[in-house]
Amino acid sequence: MAGLLALAALAGPALAVQPSERLSDPALEARARSLSTEIRCMVCQNQSIDDSDAQLAKDLRVLVRERLSAGDSDAAVRDFLVARYGEFVLLKPRFQGHTLVLWLAAPVLLAIGAFASFAAWRRRNRAGADNRLTSEEEAALARVLSEDDMRRS
């Protein structure tokens, strides 16, 4: 039963591309499928057009196949879609000047968090070392505890 559920979950995205959309040339179809996994569905936004059943995703899949059939390269198809819909249409934005913050923000924030955690850990360890009792304080504590034990007995 679990195997059937897993198979059904995996088969879902494959059903988005309709047989009528597929190209007869297997090489072009493979390129189209590869490109379709890189392009964001503007309706679903967290899915590629290859995975989405939205009408706009279908239109974009057909457009990708038309451009490839017309002889466009993969880069030309991506550039066409970016010119038409903006950089957001790419699931993985390009590494360019205006996307630099997008690409570098996560690693920089991770490094800052790691440094802050390390600094807090060191501060806590140093504070623990400074809070040890002196020999006079340990002797006084032992006296107080022994007096407390005598009172209880």
Side-chain angles (χ1 to χ4, degrees):
M1 183 64 162
L4 288 174
L5 287 175
L7 203 58
L10 292 174
L15 298 176
V17 178
Q18 301 301 314
S20 62
E21 297 173 29
R22 294 193 178 121
L23 297 170
S24 57
D25 181 1
L28 276 179
E29 180 60 27
R31 285 177 55 203
R33 291 301 293 263
S34 176
L35 276 170
S36 293
T37 60
E38 299 173 13
I39 300 167
R40 180 186 315 273
C41 173
M42 303 303 279
V43 175
C44 306
Q45 295 190 7
N46 284 333
Q47 285 185 319
S48 70
I49 61 171
D50 197 54
D51 297 336
S52 176
D53 285 327
Q55 183 61 41
L56 179 60
K58 179 184 186 289
D59 294 343
L60 287 174
R61 287 192 303 264
V62 169
L63 179 65
V64 165
R65 283 165 173 77
E66 286 173 358
R67 303 289 299 193
L68 289 175
S69 296
D72 285 1
S73 67
D74 293 1
V77 173
R78 272 189 226 97
D79 291 342
F80 174 80
L81 291 171
V82 168
R84 194 170 190 181
Y85 296 102
E87 193 78 26
F88 184 72
V89 77
L90 300 176
L91 279 172
K92 185 178 177 184
R94 298 173 183 161
F95 191 76
Q96 296 175 339
H98 64 279
T99 60
L100 193 63
V101 171
L102 177 67
W103 280 101
L104 296 180
V108 167
L109 289 175
L110 182 64
I112 290 170
F115 177 75
S117 296
F118 179 72
W121 176 75
R122 284 199 56 187
R123 212 178 5 250
R124 191 171 353 134
N125 281 349
R126 282 190 190 150
D130 294 342
N131 288 337
R132 293 205 173 107
L133 298 176
T134 63
S135 57
E136 295 87 24
E137 291 170 332
E138 286 180 4
L141 179 62
R143 269 193 317 272
V144 169
L145 290 175
S146 65
E147 289 173 6
D148 189 44
D149 286 341
M150 285 186 191
R151 280 188 222 141
R152 288 186 183 177
S153 0

